[in-house]
Amino acid sequence: MGVPGTGAAKRVVLETLGWVLLLAGVAAIFLPGPGLLGIFAGLALLSQQYDWAERRVEPVRLKALQGAAESVETWPRIVLSLMGVISLLGFGVLWMLSPPAPGWWPFAESWWLPGGIWTAITQIASAVIALALIIYSYRRFHGHPEAVAALSRSADKAHDEASDESRSKPVS
C-alpha cells in the first residue's frame, strides 16, 4: 500500500496541469503558439477524470492532425509556416536581448518589449515546437495522400458519431 493521499495529490496535480494546458491552448489559438496541441494535451489529462473531456479528446486530436496535414499540402504553406517559425524565434531572441526602446517608439519605454525573459522563453519554445510539428507533419503527410485520406475518413466518422450522440440525448 502506498503513502496515504498520494493518489489524491497526483489527481490534483494532473487535473490542475490539464486545466492549465487547456486554457493555454485556448489562448494560443489567438496568440503565437501550438493552440490545438495544448487543447489536446489538456483534454487528454482531464479525460482521466471527466467524461465530457474524454468525448472531446479524439475530435480535437483529429482536427489538430487535419490542420497539420493541411499546413504541408503545398510549398507556399510550408514556406509560410517556416517564416512563422523564424519570426517567433527572431522575436524571442529580440525579447531575450531586450534592447532599449528605439527613438521612433511613440510610447513609454515600459511598453517596449513587455513581459521580459519569460516572453522570450515562450516565444522560443513555441518556435521549437512549431518546427517539430512542421517536420512531423511533412514526414507523415506531405506526398502521402493515403495518410490524408485515412485521416479525413477518421474525422468524418468521429463527426458522424458525435452528431448521432448529440441527437440521441434527451433535451432536459
Side-chain angles (χ1 to χ4, degrees):
M1 189 74 44
V3 178
T6 303
K10 180 181 175 185
R11 187 180 139 248
V12 167
V13 168
L14 289 177
E15 188 170 340
T16 301
L17 182 60
W19 281 110
V20 168
L21 286 169
L22 181 62
L23 292 174
V26 169
I29 294 288
F30 305 101
L31 302 170
L36 284 176
L37 181 64
I39 292 170
F40 170 70
L43 286 173
L45 288 174
L46 292 172
S47 70
Q48 297 174 22
Q49 300 297 322
Y50 300 105
D51 289 338
W52 64 265
E54 186 174 354
R55 288 189 303 271
R56 287 165 178 81
V57 170
E58 187 63 8
V60 169
R61 183 185 78 81
L62 292 171
K63 192 70 165 167
L65 286 173
Q66 281 183 309
E70 290 171 5
S71 73
V72 295
E73 267 181 345
T74 64
W75 280 107
R77 287 184 182 180
I78 295 169
V79 169
L80 281 172
S81 296
L82 291 173
M83 286 173 51
V85 167
I86 291 167
S87 296
L88 270 174
L89 191 58
F91 283 118
V93 169
L94 178 68
W95 249 264
M96 193 167 281
L97 296 175
S98 193
W104 54 262
W105 184 250
F107 305 106
E109 187 158 343
S110 61
W111 286 79
W112 174 251
L113 303 177
I117 190 72
W118 289 108
T119 300
I121 290 169
T122 57
Q123 287 178 337
I124 292 169
S126 290
V128 170
I129 291 168
L131 182 61
L133 290 172
I134 291 167
I135 291 169
Y136 167 82
S137 301
Y138 183 84
R139 294 183 71 177
R140 181 166 178 191
F141 297 115
H142 189 78
H144 300 283
E146 70 284 350
V148 176
L151 180 59
S152 291
R153 285 190 303 274
S154 295
D156 290 344
K157 181 180 175 189
H159 181 266
D160 292 345
E161 288 172 359
S163 295
D164 291 345
E165 182 179 312
S166 67
R167 279 192 295 263
S168 66
K169 285 188 177 181
V171 177
S172 51

